[in-house]
Amino acid sequence: MVPRDMDAANQDADLLAQFAQGDRLAAQTLTDRLAPRIVRFAARMLGDRAEAEDVTQDTMLRLWRIAPEWQDTGVPPAAWLFRVAANLCTDRLRRRRSGPAEMPDLPDDTPGVDAQMMQSKRAAALQSALAALPERQRQAVILRHLEGLSNPDIAAIMMIGVEAVESLTARGKRNLTALLSGQKEILGYEDEH
Amino acid sequence: MNTDKHQNTGIEPLDVFFDAARAQAPELSQDLRARILADADSAVSVASAPVPQNPTLRQRVGVWLNGWAAPSLAGGLTAAVAGFWFGVVTPMPVAALDAPLWLQDALGYFDAISTPLVGLDDPLLWGF
């Protein structure tokens, strides 16, 4: 289950049912509960804010459209949304491969930056390293370590077994470590601890 | 020292990057939120649009008349009027041949109309 407890999943399902009955307040609540997670996930998958917003809007639109026919199949709305968003991101990444590659900007190495700048540099460095990961590893790492989902939740979203999720996240983290190891001094985190 | 711990464990330094990424996480902009809710409104409108009910007899007749019936009736009426008119102005020789004798006088009345239109003289007046 993607939500941390059944209550959250049931609340989402109830809100979706209310929306299907024409309750627009339910749409607002659902948007506030779910859309921020989708936009974060898509932004990290794609490394592009504008594309992430398009994916989020498209994902939510599909939720609105399916609402009248929504049935409890054991997949909560949040998991369903992540699955749709992942597929939309995959489509965009495939199209992108046929064109010029878009990589996130690497952080510059300007010395003397403050803590806020350091955070930004680290975040940008991680985004750059994530972009270099195989897509499935990237997805698993983002969901596990940035969105904080459990392995069973991720397994439901990616439609694979829990062991496969563990394998993907472990390999993803190893690759990230290798990619970021050369930037420790540039990012200066050693000086901070 | 933490640095040593990072260097020894190898994997732990990633948490520094994860923490930074979580702190820098993109948020849902008001513009995107508005677009999403506009989509929701549209979806609700489509879903709640009134379903067409069975039309009444009057509506059905109206549809029938506005469809193929009215033009057809108009065309038929035009054809009937045209046929009547051509019958009235038919050249007398044809009418005279078919008409019984007792109708000849009556046909002579129409002759006054048909003659100038058709441009022929009445054969009856020629002595037939």
Side-chain angles (χ1 to χ4, degrees):
Chain A
M1 226 35 83
V2 166
R4 293 188 181 282
D5 52 49
M6 283 298 295
D7 284 345
N10 291 336
Q11 284 173 16
D12 288 341
D14 289 345
L15 286 165
L16 197 55
Q18 290 168 26
F19 167 73
Q21 298 297 318
D23 184 350
R24 296 182 179 183
L25 187 60
Q28 293 177 20
T29 309
L30 273 173
T31 300
D32 292 337
R33 286 168 68 94
L34 301 175
R37 303 169 71 185
I38 300 302
V39 78
R40 283 199 305 263
F41 170 72
R44 285 161 176 155
M45 283 295 294
L46 298 168
D48 184 290
R49 177 60 193 251
E51 277 196 286
E53 293 204 348
D54 289 344
V55 164
T56 304
Q57 185 178 1
D58 199 358
T59 303
M60 294 300 291
L61 177 60
R62 290 167 194 238
L63 182 69
W64 305 141
R65 284 178 177 165
I66 204 174
E69 300 156 22
W70 181 267
Q71 293 178 342
D72 184 10
T73 57
V75 179
W80 186 88
L81 276 180
F82 271 116
R83 195 180 289 174
V84 170
N87 288 337
L88 292 174
C89 288
T90 298
D91 289 343
R92 285 175 179 262
L93 290 168
R94 282 182 186 151
R95 286 202 297 269
R96 197 184 285 178
R97 278 182 210 121
S98 61
E102 273 184 40
M103 295 293 288
D105 291 337
L106 287 169
D108 61 35
D109 54 356
T110 306
V113 291
D114 60 15
Q116 185 64 33
M117 280 294 289
M118 189 64 72
Q119 288 279 79
S120 299
K121 282 171 163 289
R122 289 171 182 163
L126 179 66
Q127 185 60 50
S128 176
L130 282 171
L133 289 184
E135 188 186 323
R136 300 285 279 177
Q137 288 182 24
R138 188 189 325 165
Q139 189 175 337
V141 168
I142 290 170
L143 292 173
R144 180 75 186 93
H145 293 285
L146 295 176
E147 285 303 311
L149 303 185
S150 69
N151 285 343
D153 296 344
I154 300 167
I157 291 167
M158 297 182 73
M159 295 164 59
I160 55 177
V162 173
E163 289 182 1
V165 173
E166 291 169 352
S167 173
L168 281 172
T169 50
R171 280 184 286 146
K173 286 175 73 177
R174 271 200 303 275
N175 286 333
L176 281 180
T177 302
L179 288 163
L180 293 168
S181 62
Q183 301 189 45
K184 288 177 186 173
E185 291 182 5
I186 293 174
L187 296 173
Y189 74 83
E190 289 176 342
D191 298 335
E192 206 171 83
H193 293 276
Chain B
M1 193 173 166
N2 284 337
T3 302
D4 295 332
K5 186 175 73 175
H6 290 158
Q7 288 170 341
N8 292 335
T9 55
I11 207 80
E12 203 167 329
L14 280 181
D15 289 340
V16 175
F17 293 93
F18 290 145
D19 289 343
R22 281 192 288 267
Q24 301 277 324
E27 296 177 354
L28 183 69
S29 67
Q30 286 303 308
D31 177 59
L32 176 57
R33 186 177 186 273
R35 280 188 280 148
I36 290 171
L37 292 176
D39 287 342
D41 283 346
S42 300
V44 166
S45 300
V46 170
S48 61
V51 178
Q53 298 174 342
N54 289 334
T56 62
L57 179 62
R58 186 173 179 178
Q59 288 171 324
R60 269 187 256 177
V61 170
V63 169
W64 180 72
L65 283 175
N66 288 324
W68 58 269
S72 300
L73 288 174
L77 187 60
T78 303
V81 169
F84 176 77
W85 176 251
F86 285 129
V88 166
V89 300
T90 296
M92 220 44 186
V94 178
L97 290 172
D98 293 340
L101 290 175
W102 58 269
L103 255 180
Q104 298 293 319
D105 288 340
L107 289 171
Y109 170 75
F110 291 108
D111 190 41
I113 304 172
S114 61
T115 298
L117 287 174
V118 177
L120 295 173
D121 289 333
D122 185 355
L124 293 176
L125 298 177
W126 297 348
F128 288 100

